[in-house]
Amino acid sequence: MSFTDNAATSGREILPAAVVPEHYTLELTPDLESFTFDGIVHADVKIVHATSTIVVNAFELDIKAARVQLTRIKTEATLPASSITYNDKLQQATLHFDQELPADAQARVTIEFQGIHNDKMAGFYRSSYADPDGTKKFMVVTQFEATDARRCLPCWDEPALKATFDVILNVQKDLSALSNMNIISEDAHPTLASHKTVKFARTPVMSTYLLALAVGDFEYIQAKTAPNCPALPNQVTVRVYTTRGLSNQGKFALGCAVRILEYFSAVFGEPYPLPKMDMMAAPDFSAGAMENWGLVTYRTAAILFDDKKSTALAKERVAGIVSHELAHQWFGNLVTMQWWNELWLNEGFATFVGTLAIARHLFPEWDSFVAFVGNDMARALTLDAMRSSHPIEVPVKSPAEISQIFDAISYSKGASVIRMLSSWLTEDVFLAGVRKYIQRLKYRNAATTDLWAALSEASGMDVSEFMTLWTKKVGYPVISAERQGNAVTVKQARFLSTGDATAEEDETVWWCPLAPYVGGEPTNSASVVLKQKEGTFALPAKPTAVPVDFYKLNLDQANFYRVQYAAADLARLGEAVEHGLVPTADRVGLVSDVFALAAAGYSSTVNALALLSHFKGEQEYIVLEAIAAKLSQVKTVWAMEPEPVADQLAALQRSIFAPTAHAMGWEYPDGESHLDGLKRQLAIGQAGMAGDKELVAQAKARFARFIQGDTHAIHPNLRGAVYAIVLRHSSVSPAAKGGEPHSAELEAVKAIWENESTPMDQRLAALGALGHVQDSTLLAGLLEYAMDESKVRPQDVMYPLRSVAANARAGGRVLAWKFVQQRWDELHARYQQSLSLLAHCVSIAGDFASAEFAETEVEGFFAGKDTKAVDRALMQTLEKIRAQAAWLERDRAPVQAWLAENVQN
């Protein structure tokens, strides 16, 4: 070829630049019995460079015929493809023509093909379910992100190659057909008497990964945006589609969606551009949800909520996921990243502004940005502390590499640095810059530099000067701080989970707003920024009315780093916590930092455990949740230590959570706040699992009543906790001769999971609790049960697998790892199209590893296996095993001594 080949110059697995699409007319005829579909696509294209071949993406498609017709010329000659060749590795098909297609010509490429409705949750796949009467049925639905549109149609499957789409679906008359746009006609099929032809309006220009299709026996509920909404002048019809009998559980998501579309249209200064927003629950779905423009698809548990039977945590999850996916309608759909290396422009933004909508508009009482510190920010800090982490903007070349960056860096670190920037610029200035960005780049593709430019214009600052490092460099700093008089000396160095950064790894000097406050009062934080390796700043005198002379950096935990305080400064911070002088988000950050520093060897675990004494009176749910997470981490690493240690850690857990559990009790009073309801569930769950006798007895008694039909015996918020407590603390009947051990409680919880009339969030609570049973034979049986697709959908296997792996004292840790080893080929085959699920299988070893299986065993097992699609997960797993082993070796003796001295069983 005489033209420049994009793939050759970028190193990416992308298509040649000779031909680019402008419009697709796609007609598909799905068959829900044979699970195949016939298709024809007419692609209107521009010939950029003269060529005798046209290369498209196609995978698992049987191309029957292809032709090209040159348009806008007198002859409009049609040329059939003389041959079609395939490159399975690159997932490309090349159409060869006997005549060269001239540069700058317009053409229509027509391809006839057949595809399969696979059961791998990728492409145009099938999903099975049971109707309310028990009849097994199928639906077909799409999941194209990142590179699976090519499983449905031959296309130019890259985010920058945007085009418009006309979609036509030929479906059985008794089924519903959905796509991105509204239906414009529905007529009898001209030749298939049992079918109808459904035509949809033309889409806006968009990337192929956002195309969406669904066919099945659906029902729906609907609402509309306000008719007089200034920011959204054209009313949008919003619907929630489900299989039969479930649509009523979509009411909460529907109400959220209407309010969110109105809010984002106002905040972003750009109305939602489509006439409708459909949201559909798919029984089989590998991710949580997918932001297809105008037809967002969800796991059932991510969109359905029963206001009488579901949990408060499920309500939070649904609101958060709906907000995230609708944020994508602007960030990702309207403005799309140029290439997958800038995925964070989609996912980081959607995570941040999705939280913004909840915090500022939908449910401000939930303290969502405080929860963000304990959840998203904590996940990002954990992953980015590894050597095997990656920059936010990371080079990616192949589909296998793309799938691996849908992680806590792209989502949570991306959102965290956006939050840091928003805090620095102020939210109003930040959103003004976002509006510039959207207006300038709508219906186009964007790079990170485009975002920095818009924010720089809005703020009058050179944003790229201080933000580029945060997106292009891996990692983040730990800032050591020591006060002498009224001066604080600070130093920054790269933080690693192993605490051993080399000089070469510690060359980055991050821009760090220190955001100090003294005695609970913010200082003039805009003037205190660390731009060098070290510096000193002056503290103002503390307010006279404040009883503790303390300071804290990183007000509201707005900035992405950890802080290590000198011992005296940390002690005064602990006193300030007891006096109620430290804001909630800062208490969450303090707990997170102190335990992370201990795990990495920057300080002792004893210091972290001792700090918890200052939190004995803690009443905020989000802080208690952070404490529970850190204690769980310690208990995981120390799980196989001698019994006194395990018992003392359980006693420490009881001492923190049991007083709250007993004070709040089991009943939910009318009008109780959302966060107090969550606190009750957390406290009872934590204290009960740690063996509080009164709570265990109550849990068993209530469980017995519940399985006899008394649904009021356990509040929906508490059911998952009760299932886990009962299984953890119930005896198992010994095996009869030739038989196996038996647990009546285990069978009862299994029955709850298998009851398809129970809301999915409650079913998953039961499924995730099963691994708490205290018998290794039963645990091994559970792992086999989890692989039975008639009992557990492939997408849900991780719930029992992780709970078994967490049950170290009953042998679950070793069982889960051996299970992954023995069934690896089967797991790999099952999840090779759903790589995030395959990565979970790999990470099991690292999440719960200890002395039972060493890094060398895990590394040895995977040596020689095809792990290209999960190599990041494997590197992170090995690194985690090393870090946890070093932590235990380093702090085993001091922790044992501290527990013996300070904790009473």
Side-chain angles (χ1 to χ4, degrees), residues 381 384-385 470 474-481 489-501 505-506 508-510 512 514 530 532-534 553-554 559-566 589 592-598 600-603:
L381 288 166
D384 209 28
W470 285 104
V474 66
Y476 61 89
V478 55
I479 295 177
S480 59
T489 299
V490 288
K491 301 177 182 179
Q492 63 164 286
R494 183 176 173 189
F495 180 84
L496 282 176
S497 61
T498 46
D500 58 353
E505 293 170 322
D506 189 26
T508 303
V509 180
W510 280 274
C512 298
L514 295 179
L530 183 62
Q532 298 83 32
K533 276 292 187 182
E534 60 181 276
L553 303 183
N554 203 6
N559 304 297
F560 196 76
Y561 52 76
R562 297 198 184 277
V563 181
Q564 180 177 21
Y565 296 95
S592 176
D593 284 357
V594 168
F595 275 89
L597 289 162
Y602 292 84
S603 63

Short mmCIF file of all heavy atoms in Angstrom, two decimals, residues 381 384-385 470 474-481 489-501 505-506 508-510 512 514 530 532-534 553-554 559-566 589 592-598 600-603:
data_model
loop_
_atom_site.label_atom_id
_atom_site.label_comp_id
_atom_site.label_asym_id
_atom_site.label_seq_id
_atom_site.Cartn_x
_atom_site.Cartn_y
_atom_site.Cartn_z
N LEU A 381 -5.75 3.93 45.88
CA LEU A 381 -4.51 4.01 46.64
C LEU A 381 -3.88 2.63 46.84
O LEU A 381 -2.66 2.47 46.80
CB LEU A 381 -4.76 4.68 47.99
CG LEU A 381 -5.04 6.19 47.97
CD1 LEU A 381 -5.60 6.65 49.30
CD2 LEU A 381 -3.78 6.98 47.62
N ASP A 384 -2.54 1.44 43.27
CA ASP A 384 -1.46 2.29 42.75
C ASP A 384 -0.22 2.25 43.62
O ASP A 384 0.79 2.84 43.27
CB ASP A 384 -1.97 3.73 42.60
CG ASP A 384 -1.25 4.47 41.48
OD1 ASP A 384 -0.80 3.82 40.53
OD2 ASP A 384 -1.15 5.71 41.57
N ALA A 385 -0.30 1.57 44.75
CA ALA A 385 0.89 1.39 45.59
C ALA A 385 1.73 0.21 45.13
O ALA A 385 2.79 -0.07 45.70
CB ALA A 385 0.47 1.18 47.05
N TRP A 470 0.18 13.57 37.23
CA TRP A 470 -0.77 12.69 37.90
C TRP A 470 -1.40 11.69 36.93
O TRP A 470 -1.86 10.62 37.36
CB TRP A 470 -1.87 13.51 38.59
CG TRP A 470 -1.38 14.14 39.86
CD1 TRP A 470 -1.05 15.45 40.06
CD2 TRP A 470 -1.14 13.48 41.10
NE1 TRP A 470 -0.63 15.64 41.34
CE2 TRP A 470 -0.68 14.45 42.01
CE3 TRP A 470 -1.28 12.17 41.53
CZ2 TRP A 470 -0.36 14.15 43.33
CZ3 TRP A 470 -0.97 11.86 42.85
CH2 TRP A 470 -0.51 12.84 43.73
N VAL A 474 3.09 6.65 37.03
CA VAL A 474 2.51 5.65 37.90
C VAL A 474 2.76 6.03 39.35
O VAL A 474 3.76 6.67 39.69
CB VAL A 474 3.11 4.26 37.60
CG1 VAL A 474 4.59 4.21 37.95
CG2 VAL A 474 2.34 3.15 38.31
N GLY A 475 1.84 5.68 40.25
CA GLY A 475 2.08 5.83 41.67
C GLY A 475 1.64 7.16 42.25
O GLY A 475 0.98 7.97 41.60
N TYR A 476 2.04 7.37 43.50
CA TYR A 476 1.72 8.59 44.24
C TYR A 476 2.66 8.68 45.43
O TYR A 476 3.34 7.69 45.78
CB TYR A 476 0.26 8.56 44.71
CG TYR A 476 -0.07 7.41 45.65
CD1 TYR A 476 0.08 7.54 47.04
CD2 TYR A 476 -0.52 6.19 45.15
CE1 TYR A 476 -0.21 6.49 47.89
CE2 TYR A 476 -0.81 5.14 46.00
CZ TYR A 476 -0.66 5.29 47.37
OH TYR A 476 -0.95 4.25 48.22
N PRO A 477 2.72 9.82 46.11
CA PRO A 477 3.68 9.96 47.21
C PRO A 477 3.08 9.67 48.58
O PRO A 477 1.86 9.73 48.79
CB PRO A 477 4.08 11.43 47.11
CG PRO A 477 2.85 12.11 46.62
CD PRO A 477 2.17 11.12 45.70
N VAL A 478 3.96 9.37 49.50
CA VAL A 478 3.66 9.48 50.93
C VAL A 478 4.38 10.73 51.41
O VAL A 478 5.55 10.95 51.10
CB VAL A 478 4.10 8.23 51.72
CG1 VAL A 478 5.57 7.91 51.52
CG2 VAL A 478 3.79 8.42 53.21
N ILE A 479 3.67 11.57 52.12
CA ILE A 479 4.25 12.80 52.64
C ILE A 479 4.51 12.61 54.13
O ILE A 479 3.59 12.36 54.91
CB ILE A 479 3.31 14.00 52.41
CG1 ILE A 479 3.17 14.24 50.90
CG2 ILE A 479 3.83 15.24 53.11
CD1 ILE A 479 2.23 15.36 50.54
N SER A 480 5.78 12.66 54.50
CA SER A 480 6.12 12.59 55.92
C SER A 480 6.08 13.99 56.48
O SER A 480 6.54 14.95 55.84
CB SER A 480 7.50 11.96 56.12
OG SER A 480 8.48 12.72 55.44
N ALA A 481 5.48 14.14 57.64
CA ALA A 481 5.28 15.46 58.24
C ALA A 481 5.70 15.42 59.71
O ALA A 481 5.33 14.52 60.45
CB ALA A 481 3.81 15.86 58.13
N THR A 489 7.75 20.45 58.77
CA THR A 489 8.62 20.03 57.68
C THR A 489 7.98 18.83 56.99
O THR A 489 7.57 17.87 57.64
CB THR A 489 10.01 19.64 58.21
OG1 THR A 489 10.60 20.78 58.84
CG2 THR A 489 10.91 19.15 57.08
N VAL A 490 7.88 18.92 55.67
CA VAL A 490 7.24 17.85 54.89
C VAL A 490 8.22 17.36 53.83
O VAL A 490 9.00 18.13 53.27
CB VAL A 490 5.93 18.34 54.24
CG1 VAL A 490 4.84 18.53 55.28
CG2 VAL A 490 6.13 19.61 53.44
N LYS A 491 8.16 16.07 53.56
CA LYS A 491 8.98 15.45 52.53
C LYS A 491 8.10 14.48 51.75
O LYS A 491 7.27 13.78 52.35
CB LYS A 491 10.17 14.70 53.14
CG LYS A 491 11.09 15.57 53.96
CD LYS A 491 12.19 14.72 54.60
CE LYS A 491 13.10 15.58 55.47
NZ LYS A 491 14.17 14.75 56.11
N GLN A 492 8.29 14.41 50.45
CA GLN A 492 7.53 13.45 49.66
C GLN A 492 8.45 12.40 49.06
O GLN A 492 9.59 12.66 48.69
CB GLN A 492 6.73 14.14 48.55
CG GLN A 492 7.55 14.86 47.49
CD GLN A 492 6.71 15.16 46.24
OE1 GLN A 492 6.41 14.26 45.45
NE2 GLN A 492 6.34 16.43 46.08
N ALA A 493 7.93 11.17 49.00
CA ALA A 493 8.63 10.05 48.38
C ALA A 493 7.57 9.09 47.86
O ALA A 493 6.46 9.05 48.37
CB ALA A 493 9.53 9.35 49.39
N ARG A 494 7.92 8.34 46.84
CA ARG A 494 6.93 7.41 46.29
C ARG A 494 6.55 6.36 47.32
O ARG A 494 7.40 5.78 48.00
CB ARG A 494 7.46 6.73 45.04
CG ARG A 494 6.41 5.81 44.41
CD ARG A 494 6.84 5.19 43.12
NE ARG A 494 5.85 4.20 42.67
CZ ARG A 494 6.04 3.36 41.66
NH1 ARG A 494 7.18 3.41 40.98
NH2 ARG A 494 5.11 2.49 41.33
N PHE A 495 5.25 6.13 47.44
CA PHE A 495 4.74 5.11 48.36
C PHE A 495 4.59 3.79 47.61
O PHE A 495 3.98 3.73 46.55
CB PHE A 495 3.38 5.53 48.92
CG PHE A 495 2.79 4.52 49.87
CD1 PHE A 495 3.14 4.52 51.20
CD2 PHE A 495 1.88 3.55 49.43
CE1 PHE A 495 2.61 3.58 52.08
CE2 PHE A 495 1.35 2.62 50.30
CZ PHE A 495 1.71 2.63 51.63
N LEU A 496 5.17 2.75 48.17
CA LEU A 496 5.00 1.40 47.63
C LEU A 496 4.47 0.47 48.71
O LEU A 496 4.82 0.63 49.90
CB LEU A 496 6.32 0.85 47.09
CG LEU A 496 6.78 1.35 45.72
CD1 LEU A 496 8.14 0.77 45.38
CD2 LEU A 496 5.76 0.99 44.64
N SER A 497 3.66 -0.50 48.33
CA SER A 497 3.08 -1.43 49.31
C SER A 497 4.14 -2.28 49.99
O SER A 497 3.89 -2.86 51.04
CB SER A 497 2.07 -2.34 48.63
OG SER A 497 2.69 -3.11 47.62
N THR A 498 5.33 -2.34 49.39
CA THR A 498 6.44 -3.06 50.00
C THR A 498 7.41 -2.14 50.72
O THR A 498 8.38 -2.60 51.32
CB THR A 498 7.19 -3.86 48.92
OG1 THR A 498 7.41 -3.01 47.79
CG2 THR A 498 6.39 -5.07 48.47
N GLY A 499 7.19 -0.84 50.64
CA GLY A 499 7.99 0.13 51.39
C GLY A 499 9.44 0.24 50.97
O GLY A 499 10.27 0.71 51.76
N ASP A 500 9.78 -0.15 49.75
CA ASP A 500 11.20 -0.22 49.38
C ASP A 500 11.47 0.40 48.02
O ASP A 500 12.17 -0.17 47.19
CB ASP A 500 11.67 -1.67 49.40
CG ASP A 500 10.85 -2.57 48.46
OD1 ASP A 500 9.85 -2.10 47.89
OD2 ASP A 500 11.22 -3.75 48.30
N ALA A 501 10.90 1.58 47.77
CA ALA A 501 11.13 2.24 46.48
C ALA A 501 12.61 2.55 46.30
O ALA A 501 13.28 3.06 47.21
CB ALA A 501 10.31 3.53 46.40
N GLU A 505 12.91 4.53 41.14
CA GLU A 505 11.45 4.52 41.24
C GLU A 505 10.90 5.76 41.94
O GLU A 505 9.70 5.98 41.95
CB GLU A 505 10.99 3.27 42.01
CG GLU A 505 11.26 1.97 41.28
CD GLU A 505 11.02 0.75 42.16
OE1 GLU A 505 11.37 0.81 43.36
OE2 GLU A 505 10.49 -0.25 41.65
N ASP A 506 11.79 6.56 42.51
CA ASP A 506 11.36 7.70 43.32
C ASP A 506 11.82 9.02 42.70
O ASP A 506 12.20 9.95 43.41
CB ASP A 506 11.90 7.54 44.74
CG ASP A 506 11.31 8.57 45.70
OD1 ASP A 506 10.18 9.05 45.43
OD2 ASP A 506 11.97 8.91 46.69
N THR A 508 9.90 10.94 40.53
CA THR A 508 8.79 11.87 40.29
C THR A 508 8.62 12.81 41.47
O THR A 508 8.63 12.38 42.63
CB THR A 508 7.48 11.11 40.04
OG1 THR A 508 7.66 10.22 38.95
CG2 THR A 508 6.34 12.07 39.72
N VAL A 509 8.45 14.09 41.18
CA VAL A 509 8.13 15.08 42.21
C VAL A 509 6.70 15.54 41.92
O VAL A 509 6.45 16.28 40.98
CB VAL A 509 9.10 16.27 42.19
CG1 VAL A 509 8.73 17.28 43.26
CG2 VAL A 509 10.53 15.78 42.37
N TRP A 510 5.78 15.06 42.73
CA TRP A 510 4.37 15.37 42.50
C TRP A 510 4.01 16.76 43.01
O TRP A 510 4.62 17.29 43.95
CB TRP A 510 3.48 14.35 43.21
CG TRP A 510 3.32 13.05 42.48
CD1 TRP A 510 2.43 12.76 41.51
CD2 TRP A 510 4.09 11.86 42.67
NE1 TRP A 510 2.57 11.46 41.09
CE2 TRP A 510 3.58 10.88 41.79
CE3 TRP A 510 5.15 11.50 43.52
CZ2 TRP A 510 4.09 9.60 41.71
CZ3 TRP A 510 5.65 10.22 43.45
CH2 TRP A 510 5.13 9.29 42.55
N CYS A 512 1.55 18.63 45.10
CA CYS A 512 0.73 18.18 46.22
C CYS A 512 0.17 19.36 47.01
O CYS A 512 0.89 19.98 47.82
CB CYS A 512 1.55 17.31 47.18
SG CYS A 512 2.19 15.81 46.45
N LEU A 514 -1.26 20.75 50.11
CA LEU A 514 -1.16 20.16 51.45
C LEU A 514 -2.44 20.34 52.25
O LEU A 514 -2.72 19.56 53.16
CB LEU A 514 0.03 20.74 52.20
CG LEU A 514 1.38 20.39 51.58
CD1 LEU A 514 2.52 21.04 52.37
CD2 LEU A 514 1.59 18.89 51.51
N LEU A 530 3.23 21.57 48.03
CA LEU A 530 4.55 20.97 47.98
C LEU A 530 4.88 20.63 46.53
O LEU A 530 4.25 19.77 45.93
CB LEU A 530 4.60 19.71 48.85
CG LEU A 530 5.97 19.02 48.96
CD1 LEU A 530 7.00 19.94 49.61
CD2 LEU A 530 5.84 17.72 49.75
N GLN A 532 8.35 20.43 45.62
CA GLN A 532 9.70 19.89 45.64
C GLN A 532 9.70 18.62 46.49
O GLN A 532 8.68 18.23 47.03
CB GLN A 532 10.69 20.90 46.23
CG GLN A 532 10.82 22.20 45.44
CD GLN A 532 9.74 23.20 45.78
OE1 GLN A 532 9.27 23.24 46.91
NE2 GLN A 532 9.34 24.01 44.81
N LYS A 533 10.86 18.02 46.62
CA LYS A 533 10.94 16.83 47.44
C LYS A 533 10.67 17.12 48.91
O LYS A 533 10.15 16.27 49.63
CB LYS A 533 12.32 16.18 47.29
CG LYS A 533 12.45 15.27 46.08
CD LYS A 533 11.60 14.01 46.23
CE LYS A 533 11.84 13.01 45.13
NZ LYS A 533 10.98 11.81 45.25
N GLU A 534 11.02 18.31 49.36
CA GLU A 534 10.74 18.65 50.76
C GLU A 534 10.57 20.15 50.90
O GLU A 534 10.95 20.93 50.03
CB GLU A 534 11.83 18.14 51.69
CG GLU A 534 13.22 18.69 51.43
CD GLU A 534 14.23 18.09 52.40
OE1 GLU A 534 14.33 18.62 53.53
OE2 GLU A 534 14.88 17.10 52.04
N LEU A 553 -2.96 17.36 57.68
CA LEU A 553 -2.85 17.70 56.26
C LEU A 553 -3.99 17.05 55.48
O LEU A 553 -4.64 16.12 55.95
CB LEU A 553 -1.51 17.21 55.70
CG LEU A 553 -0.24 17.72 56.39
CD1 LEU A 553 0.99 17.20 55.66
CD2 LEU A 553 -0.23 19.23 56.46
N ASN A 554 -4.21 17.57 54.28
CA ASN A 554 -5.16 16.97 53.33
C ASN A 554 -6.60 17.06 53.83
O ASN A 554 -7.29 16.06 53.98
CB ASN A 554 -4.78 15.52 53.02
CG ASN A 554 -5.35 15.05 51.69
OD1 ASN A 554 -5.94 15.82 50.94
ND2 ASN A 554 -5.18 13.77 51.40
N ASN A 559 -6.96 15.15 48.34
CA ASN A 559 -5.77 14.99 47.50
C ASN A 559 -5.23 13.56 47.57
O ASN A 559 -5.33 12.90 48.60
CB ASN A 559 -4.70 15.99 47.92
CG ASN A 559 -5.23 17.41 47.87
OD1 ASN A 559 -5.60 17.92 46.81
ND2 ASN A 559 -5.34 18.05 49.03
N PHE A 560 -4.61 13.13 46.47
CA PHE A 560 -4.28 11.73 46.29
C PHE A 560 -2.87 11.42 46.78
O PHE A 560 -1.93 11.32 45.98
CB PHE A 560 -4.44 11.35 44.81
CG PHE A 560 -4.49 9.88 44.56
CD1 PHE A 560 -5.64 9.15 44.85
CD2 PHE A 560 -3.41 9.22 44.01
CE1 PHE A 560 -5.69 7.79 44.60
CE2 PHE A 560 -3.45 7.86 43.76
CZ PHE A 560 -4.60 7.14 44.06
N TYR A 561 -2.72 11.28 48.07
CA TYR A 561 -1.46 10.85 48.66
C TYR A 561 -1.74 10.35 50.08
O TYR A 561 -2.85 10.50 50.59
CB TYR A 561 -0.43 11.98 48.69
CG TYR A 561 -0.88 13.29 49.31
CD1 TYR A 561 -1.00 13.45 50.70
CD2 TYR A 561 -1.16 14.40 48.51
CE1 TYR A 561 -1.39 14.65 51.26
CE2 TYR A 561 -1.56 15.61 49.06
CZ TYR A 561 -1.67 15.73 50.45
OH TYR A 561 -2.08 16.92 51.01
N ARG A 562 -0.74 9.76 50.67
CA ARG A 562 -0.83 9.35 52.08
C ARG A 562 0.06 10.25 52.91
O ARG A 562 0.98 10.89 52.38
CB ARG A 562 -0.41 7.89 52.27
CG ARG A 562 -1.32 6.90 51.53
CD ARG A 562 -1.16 5.49 52.08
NE ARG A 562 -1.92 4.50 51.35
CZ ARG A 562 -3.21 4.24 51.54
NH1 ARG A 562 -3.90 4.93 52.44
NH2 ARG A 562 -3.82 3.29 50.84
N VAL A 563 -0.23 10.32 54.20
CA VAL A 563 0.56 11.14 55.11
C VAL A 563 1.05 10.29 56.27
O VAL A 563 0.28 9.55 56.88
CB VAL A 563 -0.26 12.33 55.67
CG1 VAL A 563 0.62 13.18 56.59
CG2 VAL A 563 -0.83 13.17 54.53
N GLN A 564 2.35 10.41 56.54
CA GLN A 564 2.94 9.76 57.71
C GLN A 564 3.35 10.84 58.69
O GLN A 564 4.25 11.65 58.41
CB GLN A 564 4.15 8.91 57.33
CG GLN A 564 4.78 8.20 58.53
CD GLN A 564 5.94 7.30 58.15
OE1 GLN A 564 6.53 7.47 57.08
NE2 GLN A 564 6.26 6.34 58.99
N TYR A 565 2.70 10.87 59.84
CA TYR A 565 2.98 11.89 60.85
C TYR A 565 4.05 11.39 61.82
O TYR A 565 4.14 10.18 62.10
CB TYR A 565 1.71 12.22 61.65
CG TYR A 565 0.62 12.85 60.82
CD1 TYR A 565 -0.39 12.07 60.27
CD2 TYR A 565 0.60 14.22 60.58
CE1 TYR A 565 -1.39 12.64 59.48
CE2 TYR A 565 -0.39 14.79 59.81
CZ TYR A 565 -1.38 13.99 59.26
OH TYR A 565 -2.36 14.57 58.49
N ALA A 566 4.82 12.32 62.33
CA ALA A 566 5.73 12.00 63.43
C ALA A 566 4.90 11.48 64.61
O ALA A 566 3.72 11.82 64.76
CB ALA A 566 6.53 13.22 63.84
N GLY A 589 -9.66 8.89 56.25
CA GLY A 589 -8.33 8.95 55.67
C GLY A 589 -7.24 8.60 56.66
O GLY A 589 -6.25 7.94 56.31
N SER A 592 -7.17 4.86 57.09
CA SER A 592 -6.63 4.25 55.87
C SER A 592 -5.12 4.41 55.80
O SER A 592 -4.38 3.45 55.52
CB SER A 592 -7.30 4.89 54.65
OG SER A 592 -6.73 4.39 53.45
N ASP A 593 -4.64 5.61 56.05
CA ASP A 593 -3.20 5.88 55.94
C ASP A 593 -2.40 5.10 56.97
O ASP A 593 -1.36 4.50 56.64
CB ASP A 593 -2.93 7.38 56.11
CG ASP A 593 -3.29 8.18 54.87
OD1 ASP A 593 -3.69 7.57 53.86
OD2 ASP A 593 -3.17 9.42 54.93
N VAL A 594 -2.84 5.11 58.21
CA VAL A 594 -2.05 4.49 59.27
C VAL A 594 -1.91 2.99 59.05
O VAL A 594 -0.83 2.41 59.23
CB VAL A 594 -2.69 4.80 60.65
CG1 VAL A 594 -2.06 3.94 61.73
CG2 VAL A 594 -2.50 6.27 60.99
N PHE A 595 -2.98 2.34 58.62
CA PHE A 595 -2.88 0.90 58.38
C PHE A 595 -2.08 0.59 57.12
O PHE A 595 -1.35 -0.40 57.06
CB PHE A 595 -4.27 0.28 58.32
CG PHE A 595 -4.83 -0.08 59.67
CD1 PHE A 595 -5.55 0.85 60.40
CD2 PHE A 595 -4.59 -1.31 60.24
CE1 PHE A 595 -6.05 0.55 61.66
CE2 PHE A 595 -5.07 -1.64 61.50
CZ PHE A 595 -5.81 -0.70 62.21
N ALA A 596 -2.23 1.42 56.08
CA ALA A 596 -1.44 1.20 54.86
C ALA A 596 0.05 1.38 55.13
O ALA A 596 0.88 0.62 54.62
CB ALA A 596 -1.90 2.17 53.77
N LEU A 597 0.40 2.36 55.93
CA LEU A 597 1.80 2.57 56.30
C LEU A 597 2.35 1.39 57.08
O LEU A 597 3.51 0.99 56.89
CB LEU A 597 1.93 3.86 57.12
CG LEU A 597 1.71 5.16 56.33
CD1 LEU A 597 1.42 6.32 57.28
CD2 LEU A 597 2.91 5.48 55.46
N ALA A 598 1.52 0.82 57.94
CA ALA A 598 1.95 -0.35 58.71
C ALA A 598 2.15 -1.55 57.79
O ALA A 598 3.16 -2.27 57.88
CB ALA A 598 0.92 -0.66 59.79
N ALA A 600 2.93 -1.65 54.75
CA ALA A 600 4.08 -1.48 53.86
C ALA A 600 5.41 -1.38 54.61
O ALA A 600 6.46 -1.32 53.97
CB ALA A 600 3.88 -0.22 53.02
N GLY A 601 5.35 -1.33 55.92
CA GLY A 601 6.59 -1.29 56.69
C GLY A 601 7.12 0.09 57.00
O GLY A 601 8.23 0.23 57.52
N TYR A 602 6.36 1.14 56.69
CA TYR A 602 6.79 2.50 57.04
C TYR A 602 6.64 2.74 58.54
O TYR A 602 7.29 3.63 59.09
CB TYR A 602 5.97 3.53 56.27
CG TYR A 602 6.21 3.56 54.79
CD1 TYR A 602 5.54 2.68 53.94
CD2 TYR A 602 7.13 4.45 54.22
CE1 TYR A 602 5.75 2.70 52.57
CE2 TYR A 602 7.35 4.47 52.85
CZ TYR A 602 6.66 3.60 52.02
OH TYR A 602 6.88 3.62 50.68
N SER A 603 5.73 2.02 59.16
CA SER A 603 5.52 2.10 60.60
C SER A 603 5.06 0.74 61.08
O SER A 603 5.00 -0.21 60.31
CB SER A 603 4.50 3.19 60.95
OG SER A 603 3.23 2.86 60.40
#
